[in-house]
Amino acid sequence: ITSPLPLEHSVDRFVGRAAQDFVRRLGPEGPFALFVTFPGPHCPYDPDERLLANVDVDRLPPAIPDSTMRGSGIWQDMVDTNRMAWNGVNYSDFPEAAKVRIRHHYAASVWQIDREIDGVLSALREIGQTDNTAIVVASDHGDYLGDHELIGKNSYYESAIRIPMIVRRPGQESPAVCDELVDLYDLGPTMLRLLGTPVPDYVDAPMLPAPVIEGQLPRAAIVGGLSHAWMYRVDRYKLAMYATGERTLF
């Protein structure tokens, strides 16, 4: 759908504006910590209608087909969950045109978040705090958007669990890519280290490895837990088990 509210009255615009106002009130004096959470992009996939024109639909990647998924316990759980009152959408019929439309709306919502993040960074530049501020951009989960005939995030395929994460630390001279296993849990101790604050002994998550924290060894594994499933991920393999009885090994 499209939002009944114009862009300037959207929740994401409110959050972005509040974050910018916070930064500008700080002025050049520090230190500060700011955690900004944008609700989008998220179902019901409802960007401002004007933002849809910013997306070249022909360049959007198509949904990953999966002929084995339909009728499985994972698929049925997705269908049953989305039929509930919180959403009320029946995804048992999920034609290609619907997948393209949802991806179009999702991409427009991402564009809006990019715009808001740019506004926060601009505010940082205005007060002269860009070069000595650690900046992390990340998501808490992905969305299938039709991949494997699914919507949402409620299982352990890559579309749901492999998220964007960008870290800019003070003094970083050039961009670099890290292909190691990392987890959102790792951001807590990482931010403490970047702030020069001791990491408490009870924190069992590692810091992000180089190039973010030099000398930090990468994770050996990632463990995931849902109310109805778990996952164990190492370098080459990913094992998941579901309450529906299905087991997947990639």
Side-chain angles (χ1 to χ4, degrees):
I1 62 174
T2 54
S3 174
L5 295 176
L7 178 62
E8 54 270 23
H9 296 308
S10 68
V11 176
D12 290 322
R13 179 77 275 267
F14 171 81
V15 172
R17 187 166 52 239
Q20 293 175 47
D21 291 345
F22 175 88
V23 170
R24 291 190 176 101
R25 285 198 303 270
L26 284 173
E29 301 298 325
F32 72 94
L34 178 61
F35 182 66
V36 185
T37 305
F38 296 102
H42 211 285
C43 67
Y45 315 108
D46 59 343
D48 184 296
E49 187 172 16
R50 292 169 292 178
L51 297 182
L52 295 172
N54 295 326
V55 180
D56 184 349
V57 180
D58 293 332
R59 295 183 62 189
L60 293 175
I64 298 171
D66 191 342
S67 60
T68 66
M69 183 59 70
R70 185 170 289 273
S72 68
I74 297 172
W75 176 86
Q76 190 63 56
D77 178 68
M78 179 275 299
V79 171
D80 294 343
T81 299
N82 280 280
R83 278 176 169 168
M84 296 170 68
W86 71 272
N87 201 14
V89 178
N90 184 0
Y91 282 107
S92 60
D93 181 26
F94 203 171
E96 195 63 30
K99 297 172 185 175
V100 172
R101 180 177 174 84
I102 285 175
R103 285 168 176 257
H104 185 188
H105 283 232
Y106 191 87
S109 298
V110 171
W111 190 93
Q112 179 174 341
I113 301 304
D114 287 347
R115 181 175 179 271
E116 298 302 335
I117 293 173
D118 180 64
V120 177
L121 297 179
S122 295
L124 273 176
R125 284 190 291 270
E126 289 176 22
I127 67 170
Q129 288 279 33
T130 304
D131 291 338
N132 64 346
T133 302
I135 301 167
V136 178
V137 180
S139 172
D140 55 341
H141 59 80
D143 194 312
Y144 290 115
L145 304 173
D147 285 349
H148 307 284
E149 300 297 320
L150 301 173
I151 197 76
K153 59 186 180 182
N154 217 18
S155 52
Y156 285 114
Y157 293 94
E158 292 290 273
S159 307
I161 67 169
R162 187 168 184 173
I163 62 167
M165 183 186 291
I166 303 171
V167 179
R168 182 188 183 278
R169 57 178 173 79
Q172 184 174 341
E173 296 181 356
S174 58
V177 176
C178 176
D179 291 321
E180 303 291 349
L181 292 176
V182 298
D183 193 299
L184 282 175
Y185 285 117
D186 308 344
L187 286 177
T190 299
M191 296 302 290
L192 291 176
R193 171 60 68 86
L194 292 176
L195 288 168
T197 301
V199 179
D201 293 339
Y202 57 78
V203 175
D204 57 4
M207 294 175 287
L208 293 174
V212 180
I213 302 297
E214 296 296 338
Q216 174 65 40
L217 296 176
R219 273 180 172 269
I222 292 177
V223 177
L226 297 167
S227 62
H228 65 291
W230 57 257
M231 177 201 73
Y232 188 74
R233 170 75 179 269
V234 293
D235 182 32
R236 288 191 60 201
Y237 299 100
K238 177 171 61 177
L239 175 67
M241 188 170 183
Y242 298 88
T244 53
E246 287 148 308
R247 304 174 187 180
T248 60
L249 175 63
F250 297 95

